[in-house]
Amino acid sequence: MSYITRPATPFLDQRPGTSGLRKRVDVFQQPGYLDNFVQALFDVLPDAGGKTLVVGGDGRYFNRVAIQIILRMAAAKGYARVLVGRDGILSTPALSAVIRRRGASGGIVLSASHNPGGADGDFGIKYNIANGGPAPEAVTEAIYRRSRDISMIHAVEAADLPLDSLGTHHLLHTRIEIIDPVADYAEVLRGLFDFDAIRGLFQRGFRLRLDTMWAVGGPYARTLLEGELGAPPGTVVHGQSLEDFGGLHPDPNPANAIDLIEHLRAPDAPDMGAATDGDADRNMIVGRNFVVSPSDSLAVLAAHATRIPGYKAGLAGVARSMPTSTAIDRVARKLGIACYETPTGWKYFGNLLDAGKVTLCGEESYGTGSDHIREKDGLWAVLFWLNLIAVTGESVESLVRSLWREHGRCVYSRHDYEGIPTDQADALMRDLRSSLPRWKGQVLAGEPVIIADDFSYTDPTDGSTSERQGVRIVLQGGSRVVFRLSGTGTQGATLRIYLEHHEPDPARHDLPAQEALAPLVAVAEHVARVKHWTGMSAPSVMT
Ligand code: VG1
Ligand code: CO
Protein backbone atom coordinates (compact mmCIF):
# COMPACT_ATOMS: atom_id res chain seq x y z
CA MET A 1 0.00 0.00 0.00
CA SER A 2 1.32 3.42 -0.80
CA TYR A 3 0.28 7.04 -1.25
CA ILE A 4 -0.46 8.14 -4.78
CA THR A 5 -0.96 11.55 -6.28
CA ARG A 6 -2.76 12.04 -9.58
CA PRO A 7 -3.21 15.18 -11.62
CA ALA A 8 -6.77 16.50 -11.83
CA THR A 9 -8.66 18.94 -14.02
CA PRO A 10 -11.34 21.02 -12.29
CA PHE A 11 -15.04 20.66 -13.00
CA LEU A 12 -16.58 24.08 -12.78
CA ASP A 13 -20.07 23.07 -11.66
CA GLN A 14 -19.43 21.75 -8.16
CA ARG A 15 -21.28 24.35 -6.12
CA PRO A 16 -23.33 22.68 -3.35
CA GLY A 17 -27.01 23.64 -3.26
CA THR A 18 -29.56 23.59 -0.44
CA SER A 19 -28.24 20.25 0.78
CA GLY A 20 -24.91 19.26 -0.73
CA LEU A 21 -23.81 18.64 -4.30
CA ARG A 22 -26.47 16.84 -6.34
CA LYS A 23 -26.07 15.77 -9.94
CA ARG A 24 -27.27 13.06 -12.22
CA VAL A 25 -25.50 9.72 -11.69
CA ASP A 26 -23.79 9.95 -15.10
CA VAL A 27 -22.24 13.27 -14.06
CA PHE A 28 -20.81 11.65 -10.92
CA GLN A 29 -19.60 8.71 -13.02
CA GLN A 30 -17.26 10.92 -15.03
CA PRO A 31 -13.71 9.94 -14.11
CA GLY A 32 -12.49 12.15 -11.29
CA TYR A 33 -15.77 13.99 -10.68
CA LEU A 34 -16.37 12.68 -7.17
CA ASP A 35 -12.63 12.59 -6.40
CA ASN A 36 -12.30 16.28 -7.24
CA PHE A 37 -15.12 17.30 -4.93
CA VAL A 38 -13.81 15.17 -2.08
CA GLN A 39 -10.32 16.58 -2.58
CA ALA A 40 -11.73 20.11 -2.50
CA LEU A 41 -13.44 19.23 0.78
CA PHE A 42 -10.31 17.70 2.30
CA ASP A 43 -8.23 20.66 1.14
CA VAL A 44 -10.42 23.13 3.01
CA LEU A 45 -10.59 21.02 6.18
CA PRO A 46 -7.76 21.36 8.71
CA ASP A 47 -5.28 18.59 9.35
CA ALA A 48 -7.02 15.24 10.02
CA GLY A 49 -4.35 13.77 12.30
CA GLY A 50 -5.96 12.03 15.29
CA LYS A 51 -9.45 12.73 13.95
CA THR A 52 -12.44 10.58 13.08
CA LEU A 53 -14.56 10.80 9.94
CA VAL A 54 -17.95 9.10 9.49
CA VAL A 55 -19.04 7.90 6.05
CA GLY A 56 -22.33 6.42 4.87
CA GLY A 57 -25.16 6.89 2.45
CA ASP A 58 -28.72 6.07 1.56
CA GLY A 59 -27.73 2.99 -0.42
CA ARG A 60 -28.62 4.39 -3.80
CA TYR A 61 -26.86 3.40 -7.01
CA PHE A 62 -23.15 4.47 -6.95
CA ASN A 63 -23.09 4.53 -3.12
CA ARG A 64 -20.65 1.64 -2.83
CA VAL A 65 -18.33 2.88 -5.58
CA ALA A 66 -18.25 6.34 -3.99
CA ILE A 67 -17.44 5.00 -0.53
CA GLN A 68 -14.40 3.07 -1.73
CA ILE A 69 -13.04 6.19 -3.44
CA ILE A 70 -13.64 8.26 -0.30
CA LEU A 71 -11.96 5.72 2.00
CA ARG A 72 -8.79 5.71 -0.11
CA MET A 73 -8.74 9.51 -0.08
CA ALA A 74 -9.52 9.77 3.65
CA ALA A 75 -6.50 7.58 4.35
CA ALA A 76 -4.33 9.93 2.31
CA LYS A 77 -5.77 12.89 4.16
CA GLY A 78 -4.50 11.24 7.35
CA TYR A 79 -7.62 10.51 9.41
CA ALA A 80 -6.87 8.33 12.41
CA ARG A 81 -10.19 6.57 12.07
CA VAL A 82 -13.06 6.31 9.60
CA LEU A 83 -16.40 4.85 10.71
CA VAL A 84 -18.47 3.39 7.87
CA GLY A 85 -22.01 2.03 8.15
CA ARG A 86 -22.25 -1.65 7.23
CA ASP A 87 -22.98 -2.06 3.51
CA GLY A 88 -22.15 1.63 3.20
CA ILE A 89 -25.50 2.48 4.79
CA LEU A 90 -26.21 5.38 7.14
CA SER A 91 -29.39 7.40 7.03
CA THR A 92 -28.82 11.14 7.30
CA PRO A 93 -30.10 11.28 10.91
CA ALA A 94 -28.07 8.19 11.83
CA LEU A 95 -24.90 9.76 10.46
CA SER A 96 -25.58 12.85 12.53
CA ALA A 97 -26.05 10.67 15.62
CA VAL A 98 -22.81 8.76 14.98
CA ILE A 99 -20.78 11.97 14.54
CA ARG A 100 -22.06 13.31 17.86
CA ARG A 101 -21.85 10.13 19.91
CA ARG A 102 -18.39 9.12 18.66
CA GLY A 103 -16.86 12.58 18.79
CA ALA A 104 -16.04 12.61 15.09
CA SER A 105 -14.76 15.77 13.44
CA GLY A 106 -17.26 15.38 10.61
CA GLY A 107 -18.97 13.04 8.21
CA ILE A 108 -19.78 12.51 4.57
CA VAL A 109 -23.35 11.60 3.56
CA LEU A 110 -23.85 10.08 0.16
CA SER A 111 -27.39 10.86 -0.79
CA ALA A 112 -29.57 12.87 -3.10
CA SER A 113 -32.31 12.48 -0.51
CA HIS A 114 -35.77 12.73 -2.06
CA ASN A 115 -34.44 12.75 -5.64
CA PRO A 116 -34.97 9.55 -7.66
CA GLY A 117 -32.15 6.97 -7.63
CA GLY A 118 -30.85 4.22 -9.90
CA ALA A 119 -28.45 4.44 -12.83
CA ASP A 120 -30.69 7.04 -14.50
CA GLY A 121 -31.37 8.93 -11.29
CA ASP A 122 -29.45 11.33 -9.09
CA PHE A 123 -26.53 11.04 -6.71
CA GLY A 124 -25.29 13.46 -4.09
CA ILE A 125 -22.65 14.17 -1.48
CA LYS A 126 -22.80 16.37 1.58
CA TYR A 127 -20.38 17.19 4.38
CA ASN A 128 -21.50 17.43 8.00
CA ILE A 129 -19.41 19.13 10.67
CA ALA A 130 -18.51 18.09 14.22
CA ASN A 131 -21.90 19.10 15.66
CA GLY A 132 -23.46 16.49 13.35
CA GLY A 133 -25.16 19.04 11.13
CA PRO A 134 -24.76 20.16 7.53
CA ALA A 135 -21.74 22.36 6.88
CA PRO A 136 -22.70 26.03 6.95
CA GLU A 137 -22.62 28.14 3.81
CA ALA A 138 -19.14 29.53 4.52
CA VAL A 139 -17.75 25.98 4.37
CA THR A 140 -19.71 24.86 1.30
CA GLU A 141 -18.66 28.01 -0.54
CA ALA A 142 -15.03 27.39 0.39
CA ILE A 143 -15.29 23.86 -0.99
CA TYR A 144 -16.78 25.22 -4.20
CA ARG A 145 -14.00 27.80 -4.61
CA ARG A 146 -11.37 25.15 -3.99
CA SER A 147 -13.04 22.76 -6.48
CA ARG A 148 -12.41 25.32 -9.20
CA ASP A 149 -8.67 25.03 -8.94
CA ILE A 150 -8.06 21.45 -7.95
CA SER A 151 -4.94 20.11 -9.62
CA MET A 152 -4.00 17.05 -7.56
CA ILE A 153 -5.87 14.11 -6.05
CA HIS A 154 -4.31 12.37 -3.06
CA ALA A 155 -5.25 8.78 -2.32
CA VAL A 156 -3.76 5.49 -1.23
CA GLU A 157 -3.42 2.59 -3.59
CA ALA A 158 -5.48 -0.25 -2.16
CA ALA A 159 -8.08 -2.83 -3.09
CA ASP A 160 -11.76 -2.27 -2.23
CA LEU A 161 -12.60 -3.05 1.38
CA PRO A 162 -15.40 -5.48 2.26
CA LEU A 163 -18.22 -3.37 3.71
CA ASP A 164 -20.74 -6.11 4.31
CA SER A 165 -19.68 -7.23 7.78
CA LEU A 166 -18.71 -5.51 10.98
CA GLY A 167 -14.97 -5.35 11.52
CA THR A 168 -11.81 -3.32 11.37
CA HIS A 169 -9.42 -2.78 8.48
CA HIS A 170 -6.43 -0.58 7.85
CA LEU A 171 -5.61 1.65 4.91
CA LEU A 172 -2.00 2.62 5.65
CA HIS A 173 -2.27 4.44 9.00
CA THR A 174 -6.04 4.86 8.97
CA ARG A 175 -8.24 2.48 10.90
CA ILE A 176 -11.48 1.76 9.05
CA GLU A 177 -14.28 0.46 11.27
CA ILE A 178 -17.41 -1.01 9.75
CA ILE A 179 -20.15 -0.21 12.27
CA ASP A 180 -23.77 -1.20 12.83
CA PRO A 181 -25.70 1.57 11.02
CA VAL A 182 -28.64 1.46 13.44
CA ALA A 183 -27.14 1.13 16.95
CA ASP A 184 -26.03 4.70 17.80
CA TYR A 185 -29.15 6.22 16.31
CA ALA A 186 -31.47 3.81 18.12
CA GLU A 187 -29.76 4.66 21.40
CA VAL A 188 -30.44 8.36 20.88
CA LEU A 189 -34.15 7.72 20.25
CA ARG A 190 -34.43 5.43 23.28
CA GLY A 191 -33.38 8.37 25.42
CA LEU A 192 -36.18 10.61 24.13
CA PHE A 193 -39.40 8.64 23.97
CA ASP A 194 -41.50 6.51 26.28
CA PHE A 195 -40.94 3.17 24.56
CA ASP A 196 -43.21 1.39 27.08
CA ALA A 197 -46.10 3.69 26.23
CA ILE A 198 -45.60 3.11 22.50
CA ARG A 199 -45.35 -0.64 23.10
CA GLY A 200 -48.64 -0.46 25.01
CA LEU A 201 -50.26 1.31 22.08
CA PHE A 202 -49.37 -1.53 19.72
CA GLN A 203 -50.45 -4.10 22.31
CA ARG A 204 -53.88 -2.47 22.37
CA GLY A 205 -54.12 -3.10 18.62
CA PHE A 206 -53.10 0.31 17.24
CA ARG A 207 -52.27 -0.05 13.57
CA LEU A 208 -49.52 1.92 11.84
CA ARG A 209 -48.48 1.71 8.19
CA LEU A 210 -44.98 3.10 7.72
CA ASP A 211 -43.89 3.34 4.11
CA THR A 212 -40.13 3.68 3.84
CA MET A 213 -40.37 3.92 0.06
CA TRP A 214 -37.75 1.19 -0.73
CA ALA A 215 -35.17 3.56 0.74
CA VAL A 216 -32.78 3.65 3.67
CA GLY A 217 -35.43 4.10 6.36
CA GLY A 218 -36.46 0.44 6.14
CA PRO A 219 -33.77 -1.16 8.31
CA TYR A 220 -34.11 1.53 10.98
CA ALA A 221 -37.89 1.34 11.11
CA ARG A 222 -37.94 -2.45 11.20
CA THR A 223 -35.39 -2.66 14.00
CA LEU A 224 -37.12 -0.10 16.17
CA LEU A 225 -40.81 -0.52 15.42
CA GLU A 226 -41.20 -4.17 14.56
CA GLY A 227 -38.19 -5.31 16.59
CA GLU A 228 -38.24 -3.28 19.74
CA LEU A 229 -41.62 -1.59 20.00
CA GLY A 230 -43.73 -4.62 19.22
CA ALA A 231 -45.45 -3.32 16.09
CA PRO A 232 -46.73 -6.30 14.11
CA PRO A 233 -44.61 -7.52 11.19
CA GLY A 234 -45.80 -5.81 8.05
CA THR A 235 -46.12 -2.42 9.80
CA VAL A 236 -43.13 -1.25 7.76
CA VAL A 237 -43.86 -1.54 4.05
CA HIS A 238 -41.48 -1.14 1.10
CA GLY A 239 -38.86 -1.70 3.76
CA GLN A 240 -36.09 -3.22 1.71
CA SER A 241 -33.39 -0.74 0.65
CA LEU A 242 -33.13 -0.84 -3.12
CA GLU A 243 -30.51 0.97 -5.21
CA ASP A 244 -33.19 2.51 -7.41
CA PHE A 245 -35.95 2.84 -4.77
CA GLY A 246 -38.08 0.51 -6.86
CA GLY A 247 -38.04 3.07 -9.68
CA LEU A 248 -40.19 5.38 -7.54
CA HIS A 249 -39.60 8.88 -6.28
CA PRO A 250 -38.69 8.59 -2.57
CA ASP A 251 -40.35 11.84 -1.58
CA PRO A 252 -42.91 11.45 1.21
CA ASN A 253 -45.70 13.70 0.02
CA PRO A 254 -49.26 12.89 -1.08
CA ALA A 255 -48.24 12.98 -4.74
CA ASN A 256 -45.41 10.46 -4.48
CA ALA A 257 -46.58 8.33 -1.57
CA ILE A 258 -49.91 7.73 -3.28
CA ASP A 259 -50.02 4.08 -2.21
CA LEU A 260 -49.93 5.15 1.44
CA ILE A 261 -52.61 7.78 0.93
CA GLU A 262 -54.88 5.17 -0.67
CA HIS A 263 -54.39 2.76 2.21
CA LEU A 264 -55.32 5.48 4.68
CA ARG A 265 -58.46 6.27 2.71
CA ALA A 266 -59.66 2.67 2.60
CA PRO A 267 -62.58 1.56 4.82
CA ASP A 268 -60.27 -0.65 6.89
CA ALA A 269 -57.54 2.00 7.07
CA PRO A 270 -54.90 1.73 9.79
CA ASP A 271 -54.96 4.32 12.59
CA MET A 272 -51.93 6.16 11.32
CA GLY A 273 -49.79 6.27 8.22
CA ALA A 274 -46.31 7.68 7.74
CA ALA A 275 -43.65 7.77 5.06
CA THR A 276 -39.96 8.60 5.00
CA ASP A 277 -37.71 9.73 2.12
CA GLY A 278 -34.55 8.45 0.41
CA ASP A 279 -32.22 9.22 3.31
CA ALA A 280 -34.93 8.93 6.01
CA ASP A 281 -34.72 12.50 7.27
CA ARG A 282 -38.15 13.57 6.01
CA ASN A 283 -41.53 12.37 7.20
CA MET A 284 -45.14 12.61 6.18
CA ILE A 285 -47.83 11.91 8.79
CA VAL A 286 -51.28 10.75 7.74
CA GLY A 287 -54.35 10.02 9.84
CA ARG A 288 -57.37 8.01 8.73
CA ASN A 289 -58.47 9.80 5.60
CA PHE A 290 -56.60 12.86 6.84
CA VAL A 291 -53.29 14.18 5.51
CA VAL A 292 -51.28 16.30 7.97
CA SER A 293 -49.50 19.31 6.54
CA PRO A 294 -45.83 19.29 7.63
CA SER A 295 -46.18 22.80 9.07
CA ASP A 296 -49.12 21.64 11.20
CA SER A 297 -47.19 18.56 12.27
CA LEU A 298 -44.36 20.75 13.58
CA ALA A 299 -46.86 22.93 15.46
CA VAL A 300 -48.60 19.92 17.05
CA LEU A 301 -45.29 18.49 18.23
CA ALA A 302 -44.29 21.83 19.75
CA ALA A 303 -47.67 22.31 21.45
CA HIS A 304 -47.46 18.92 23.22
CA ALA A 305 -43.72 18.51 23.60
CA THR A 306 -43.72 18.50 27.40
CA ARG A 307 -45.69 15.24 27.35
CA ILE A 308 -42.70 13.49 25.78
CA PRO A 309 -39.93 12.42 28.21
CA GLY A 310 -37.10 13.97 26.18
CA TYR A 311 -38.79 17.37 26.15
CA LYS A 312 -40.57 17.45 29.49
CA ALA A 313 -38.45 20.34 30.71
CA GLY A 314 -39.99 22.49 27.97
CA LEU A 315 -38.72 24.00 24.76
CA ALA A 316 -36.02 26.68 24.74
CA GLY A 317 -37.46 28.04 21.52
CA VAL A 318 -38.46 26.84 18.06
CA ALA A 319 -37.44 27.62 14.50
CA ARG A 320 -38.93 27.20 11.06
CA SER A 321 -37.73 27.92 7.56
CA MET A 322 -39.20 31.10 6.12
CA PRO A 323 -41.66 29.43 3.70
CA THR A 324 -42.98 27.11 6.45
CA SER A 325 -46.40 28.16 7.77
CA THR A 326 -46.78 30.36 10.82
CA ALA A 327 -48.72 27.70 12.77
CA ILE A 328 -45.62 27.14 14.91
CA ASP A 329 -45.29 30.90 15.55
CA ARG A 330 -48.76 30.88 17.05
CA VAL A 331 -47.95 27.95 19.31
CA ALA A 332 -44.65 29.58 20.35
CA ARG A 333 -46.46 32.81 21.24
CA LYS A 334 -48.81 30.88 23.50
CA LEU A 335 -45.93 29.00 25.11
CA GLY A 336 -44.07 32.28 25.59
CA ILE A 337 -40.97 31.09 23.72
CA ALA A 338 -39.03 32.52 20.79
CA CYS A 339 -39.69 31.43 17.21
CA TYR A 340 -36.87 31.98 14.70
CA GLU A 341 -37.35 32.26 10.95
CA THR A 342 -34.44 30.94 8.88
CA PRO A 343 -33.75 30.41 5.18
CA THR A 344 -34.66 27.07 3.58
CA GLY A 345 -32.30 24.19 4.42
CA TRP A 346 -31.35 22.46 7.65
CA LYS A 347 -27.89 24.04 7.75
CA TYR A 348 -29.41 27.25 9.12
CA PHE A 349 -30.78 25.55 12.25
CA GLY A 350 -27.38 24.27 13.46
CA ASN A 351 -26.17 27.43 15.18
CA LEU A 352 -29.51 28.03 16.90
CA LEU A 353 -29.53 24.46 18.21
CA ASP A 354 -25.88 24.62 19.30
CA ALA A 355 -26.51 27.88 21.14
CA GLY A 356 -29.46 26.32 22.99
CA LYS A 357 -31.83 28.90 21.53
CA VAL A 358 -34.17 26.33 20.02
CA THR A 359 -35.23 22.77 20.79
CA LEU A 360 -37.55 21.91 17.89
CA CYS A 361 -37.36 23.02 14.28
CA GLY A 362 -38.88 22.18 10.95
CA GLU A 363 -39.62 22.91 7.34
CA GLU A 364 -42.69 22.78 5.14
CA SER A 365 -40.94 20.16 2.99
CA TYR A 366 -41.77 17.30 5.37
CA GLY A 367 -38.80 17.88 7.66
CA THR A 368 -39.01 17.99 11.46
CA GLY A 369 -36.33 17.57 14.07
CA SER A 370 -34.89 18.63 17.39
CA ASP A 371 -31.72 19.20 19.32
CA HIS A 372 -31.17 15.41 19.70
CA ILE A 373 -29.10 15.53 16.50
CA ARG A 374 -28.39 18.23 13.91
CA GLU A 375 -30.44 16.90 10.99
CA LYS A 376 -34.12 16.50 10.38
CA ASP A 377 -35.27 13.07 11.39
CA GLY A 378 -38.09 11.05 9.83
CA LEU A 379 -38.38 8.17 12.28
CA TRP A 380 -38.01 10.55 15.23
CA ALA A 381 -41.13 12.37 14.03
CA VAL A 382 -43.04 9.09 13.68
CA LEU A 383 -42.08 8.02 17.23
CA PHE A 384 -42.96 11.49 18.54
CA TRP A 385 -46.48 11.17 17.06
CA LEU A 386 -46.85 7.62 18.38
CA ASN A 387 -45.74 8.68 21.86
CA LEU A 388 -48.19 11.59 21.75
CA ILE A 389 -51.07 9.37 20.65
CA ALA A 390 -50.18 6.85 23.36
CA VAL A 391 -50.26 9.43 26.16
CA THR A 392 -53.21 11.54 24.96
CA GLY A 393 -55.40 8.76 23.58
CA GLU A 394 -56.25 11.12 20.72
CA SER A 395 -56.16 10.34 17.01
CA VAL A 396 -53.91 12.03 14.47
CA GLU A 397 -56.87 13.99 13.15
CA SER A 398 -58.12 15.14 16.54
CA LEU A 399 -54.66 16.39 17.52
CA VAL A 400 -54.52 18.53 14.37
CA ARG A 401 -58.10 19.74 14.75
CA SER A 402 -57.42 20.89 18.31
CA LEU A 403 -54.50 22.92 16.96
CA TRP A 404 -56.82 24.53 14.40
CA ARG A 405 -59.52 25.23 16.97
CA GLU A 406 -57.08 26.96 19.25
CA HIS A 407 -54.99 28.90 16.76
CA GLY A 408 -57.00 28.92 13.55
CA ARG A 409 -55.92 26.88 10.55
CA CYS A 410 -52.89 27.93 8.51
CA VAL A 411 -54.13 26.63 5.18
CA TYR A 412 -51.04 25.80 3.22
CA SER A 413 -49.85 24.50 -0.13
CA ARG A 414 -46.70 24.44 -2.21
CA HIS A 415 -46.91 24.57 -5.98
CA ASP A 416 -43.84 23.34 -7.85
CA TYR A 417 -43.11 24.10 -11.49
CA GLU A 418 -40.45 21.60 -12.48
CA GLY A 419 -38.06 21.38 -15.40
CA ILE A 420 -38.23 25.05 -16.43
CA PRO A 421 -35.34 26.17 -18.66
CA THR A 422 -32.90 27.81 -16.25
CA ASP A 423 -32.71 31.13 -18.09
CA GLN A 424 -36.50 31.47 -18.03
CA ALA A 425 -36.67 30.70 -14.31
CA ASP A 426 -33.90 33.21 -13.66
CA ALA A 427 -35.74 35.80 -15.75
CA LEU A 428 -38.93 35.24 -13.75
CA MET A 429 -37.09 35.80 -10.46
CA ARG A 430 -35.23 38.83 -11.83
CA ASP A 431 -38.43 40.38 -13.10
CA LEU A 432 -40.22 39.63 -9.83
CA ARG A 433 -37.40 41.10 -7.73
CA SER A 434 -37.30 44.27 -9.75
CA SER A 435 -41.09 44.64 -9.44
CA LEU A 436 -41.05 44.47 -5.64
CA PRO A 437 -41.12 48.22 -4.92
CA ARG A 438 -44.33 48.36 -6.94
CA TRP A 439 -46.38 46.01 -4.73
CA LYS A 440 -45.96 47.49 -1.26
CA GLY A 441 -49.21 49.19 -0.24
CA GLN A 442 -51.18 47.94 -3.25
CA VAL A 443 -54.35 45.97 -2.61
CA LEU A 444 -54.09 42.33 -3.74
CA ALA A 445 -56.79 39.71 -3.08
CA GLY A 446 -58.67 42.42 -1.24
CA GLU A 447 -55.91 43.28 1.24
CA PRO A 448 -53.04 45.74 1.31
CA VAL A 449 -49.55 44.33 0.80
CA ILE A 450 -47.51 44.95 3.96
CA ILE A 451 -44.27 43.25 2.96
CA ALA A 452 -42.86 42.82 -0.54
CA ASP A 453 -39.21 41.86 -0.20
CA ASP A 454 -36.48 39.30 -0.73
CA PHE A 455 -35.88 37.47 2.55
CA SER A 456 -32.48 37.89 4.09
CA TYR A 457 -31.27 36.34 7.29
CA THR A 458 -28.73 37.32 9.86
CA ASP A 459 -27.69 34.45 12.10
CA PRO A 460 -28.18 35.69 15.68
CA THR A 461 -25.24 33.64 16.96
CA ASP A 462 -22.44 34.52 14.53
CA GLY A 463 -23.85 37.47 12.60
CA SER A 464 -23.37 35.78 9.22
CA THR A 465 -25.88 36.89 6.63
CA SER A 466 -27.63 35.06 3.78
CA GLU A 467 -29.37 37.13 1.19
CA ARG A 468 -31.90 36.52 -1.59
CA GLN A 469 -33.53 33.61 0.20
CA GLY A 470 -36.99 33.95 -1.31
CA VAL A 471 -39.36 36.66 -2.45
CA ARG A 472 -42.25 37.32 -0.07
CA ILE A 473 -45.54 39.07 -0.68
CA VAL A 474 -47.32 39.35 2.68
CA LEU A 475 -50.85 40.73 2.98
CA GLN A 476 -52.25 42.60 5.94
CA GLY A 477 -54.14 39.60 7.34
CA GLY A 478 -50.97 37.51 7.26
CA SER A 479 -51.66 35.61 4.04
CA ARG A 480 -48.44 35.06 2.11
CA VAL A 481 -47.07 34.05 -1.25
CA VAL A 482 -43.40 33.10 -1.36
CA PHE A 483 -41.31 32.40 -4.44
CA ARG A 484 -37.94 30.71 -4.66
CA LEU A 485 -35.98 28.43 -6.95
CA SER A 486 -35.12 24.96 -5.70
CA GLY A 487 -31.50 24.26 -4.81
CA THR A 488 -31.72 20.46 -4.92
CA GLY A 489 -32.86 19.71 -8.47
CA THR A 490 -30.62 18.40 -11.22
CA GLN A 491 -32.56 19.18 -14.40
CA GLY A 492 -33.44 22.70 -15.40
CA ALA A 493 -34.93 24.80 -12.64
CA THR A 494 -37.82 24.22 -10.27
CA LEU A 495 -39.90 27.19 -9.16
CA ARG A 496 -41.53 26.73 -5.77
CA ILE A 497 -44.52 28.89 -4.88
CA TYR A 498 -45.57 28.66 -1.24
CA LEU A 499 -49.09 29.74 -0.33
CA GLU A 500 -50.39 30.38 3.18
CA HIS A 501 -53.72 31.71 4.39
CA HIS A 502 -54.78 31.89 8.02
CA GLU A 503 -58.39 30.82 8.59
CA PRO A 504 -59.72 31.52 12.10
CA ASP A 505 -63.29 30.39 11.35
CA PRO A 506 -63.79 26.69 12.27
CA ALA A 507 -66.75 26.51 9.89
CA ARG A 508 -64.27 27.02 7.06
CA HIS A 509 -61.56 24.61 8.23
CA ASP A 510 -62.78 21.85 5.96
CA LEU A 511 -62.69 23.81 2.74
CA PRO A 512 -60.29 22.08 0.35
CA ALA A 513 -56.92 23.84 0.64
CA GLN A 514 -56.65 24.60 -3.06
CA GLU A 515 -60.05 26.29 -2.98
CA ALA A 516 -59.18 28.37 0.07
CA LEU A 517 -55.90 29.38 -1.55
CA ALA A 518 -57.28 30.26 -4.99
CA PRO A 519 -57.13 34.04 -4.37
CA LEU A 520 -53.45 33.71 -3.45
CA VAL A 521 -52.75 31.66 -6.58
CA ALA A 522 -54.19 34.59 -8.52
CA VAL A 523 -51.87 36.96 -6.63
CA ALA A 524 -48.90 34.75 -7.52
CA GLU A 525 -49.81 34.84 -11.20
CA HIS A 526 -50.41 38.58 -11.09
CA VAL A 527 -47.08 39.51 -9.52
CA ALA A 528 -44.84 36.90 -11.16
CA ARG A 529 -46.47 36.14 -14.52
CA VAL A 530 -45.84 32.46 -13.91
CA LYS A 531 -47.59 31.21 -17.04
CA HIS A 532 -45.69 33.64 -19.22
CA TRP A 533 -42.25 32.72 -17.91
CA THR A 534 -42.71 28.98 -17.40
CA GLY A 535 -44.96 28.29 -20.37
CA MET A 536 -46.89 25.99 -18.01
CA SER A 537 -50.58 26.35 -17.27
CA ALA A 538 -50.48 24.45 -13.97
CA PRO A 539 -47.89 23.32 -11.43
CA SER A 540 -46.22 19.92 -11.91
CA VAL A 541 -46.76 19.01 -8.25
CA MET A 542 -48.93 20.47 -5.51
CA THR A 543 -48.33 19.41 -1.93
C1 VG1 B 1 -35.64 21.11 -0.56
C2 VG1 B 1 -36.61 21.61 0.51
C3 VG1 B 1 -35.85 22.05 1.74
C4 VG1 B 1 -34.98 20.89 2.24
C5 VG1 B 1 -34.08 20.41 1.12
C6 VG1 B 1 -33.27 19.20 1.52
O1 VG1 B 1 -34.79 22.17 -0.95
O2 VG1 B 1 -37.39 22.65 0.01
O3 VG1 B 1 -36.76 22.47 2.71
O4 VG1 B 1 -34.19 21.30 3.33
O5 VG1 B 1 -34.86 20.06 -0.02
O6 VG1 B 1 -34.10 18.15 1.92
P1 VG1 B 1 -35.03 23.03 -2.30
O7 VG1 B 1 -33.86 23.96 -2.40
O8 VG1 B 1 -35.13 22.06 -3.41
O9 VG1 B 1 -36.32 23.74 -2.09
V1 VG1 B 1 -33.58 16.55 1.66
O10 VG1 B 1 -34.55 15.58 2.58
O11 VG1 B 1 -33.82 16.48 -0.04
O12 VG1 B 1 -31.97 16.58 1.92
CO1 CO C 1 -33.93 13.73 2.76
Side-chain angles (χ1 to χ4, degrees), residues 288-479:
R288 273 204 182 131
N289 205 14
F290 188 88
V291 179
V292 183
S293 127
S295 299
D296 280 346
S297 173
L298 175 63
V300 168
L301 302 188
H304 298 279
T306 52
R307 313 187 74 151
I308 306 298
Y311 307 97
K312 68 172 187 293
L315 306 176
V318 291
R320 64 164 169 85
S321 67
M322 183 273 281
T324 303
S325 100
T326 55
I328 180 91
D329 304 43
R330 297 163 203 275
V331 170
R333 214 170 298 137
K334 179 174 171 217
L335 296 175
I337 55 175
C339 177
Y340 295 85
E341 188 180 34
T342 58
T344 295
W346 212 261
K347 56 178 173 259
Y348 297 102
F349 293 134
N351 282 350
L352 296 171
L353 291 163
D354 284 353
K357 289 181 180 296
V358 308
T359 311
L360 292 195
C361 42
E363 296 190 275
E364 54 66 44
S365 53
Y366 299 86
T368 10
S370 88
D371 61 355
H372 68 294
I373 51 170
R374 292 294 179 274
E375 286 280 4
K376 53 188 184 275
D377 188 346
L379 195 52
W380 168 89
V382 175
L383 294 192
F384 202 129
W385 271 92
L386 288 170
N387 197 154
L388 209 51
I389 289 167
V391 298
T392 59
E394 289 193 47
S395 68
V396 171
E397 176 169 351
S398 69
L399 284 164
V400 176
R401 286 198 183 272
S402 326
L403 174 83
W404 293 352
R405 260 196 312 279
E406 188 168 356
H407 299 284
R409 176 180 180 190
C410 291
V411 186
Y412 193 85
S413 182
R414 188 176 95 189
H415 291 189
D416 290 339
Y417 292 77
E418 297 175 339
I420 313 169
T422 308
D423 51 347
Q424 274 163 246
D426 289 343
L428 180 150
M429 290 305 289
R430 219 174 18 247
D431 193 51
L432 178 60
R433 286 191 166 106
S434 67
S435 77
L436 284 175
R438 223 176 38 240
W439 305 119
K440 181 105 191 271
Q442 278 211 25
V443 173
L444 296 177
E447 288 176 47
V449 174
I450 53 162
I451 300 174
D453 70 356
D454 199 346
F455 181 65
S456 73
Y457 176 66
T458 302
D459 184 304
T461 68
D462 67 9
S464 59
T465 58
S466 306
E467 271 151 24
R468 297 159 68 86
Q469 296 295 326
V471 169
R472 312 186 280 189
I473 305 282
V474 185
L475 308 182
Q476 194 158 49
S479 293

Side-chain angles (χ1 to χ4, degrees), residues 113-114 277 279 281-282:
S113 185
H114 62 288
D277 74 331
D279 58 338
D281 58 354
R282 295 186 180 201

Side-chain angles (χ1 to χ4, degrees), residues 37-49 51-54 74 77 79 105-108 126-130 135-136 139-140 142-143 146:
F37 186 77
V38 174
Q39 191 63 58
L41 164 67
F42 286 162
D43 285 355
V44 305
L45 293 178
D47 182 51
K51 291 182 181 156
T52 299
L53 178 74
V54 186
K77 169 74 178 167
Y79 280 98
S105 63
I108 295 177
K126 183 173 74 153
Y127 182 68
N128 282 25
I129 57 176
V139 176
T140 58
I143 299 168
R146 179 65 192 146

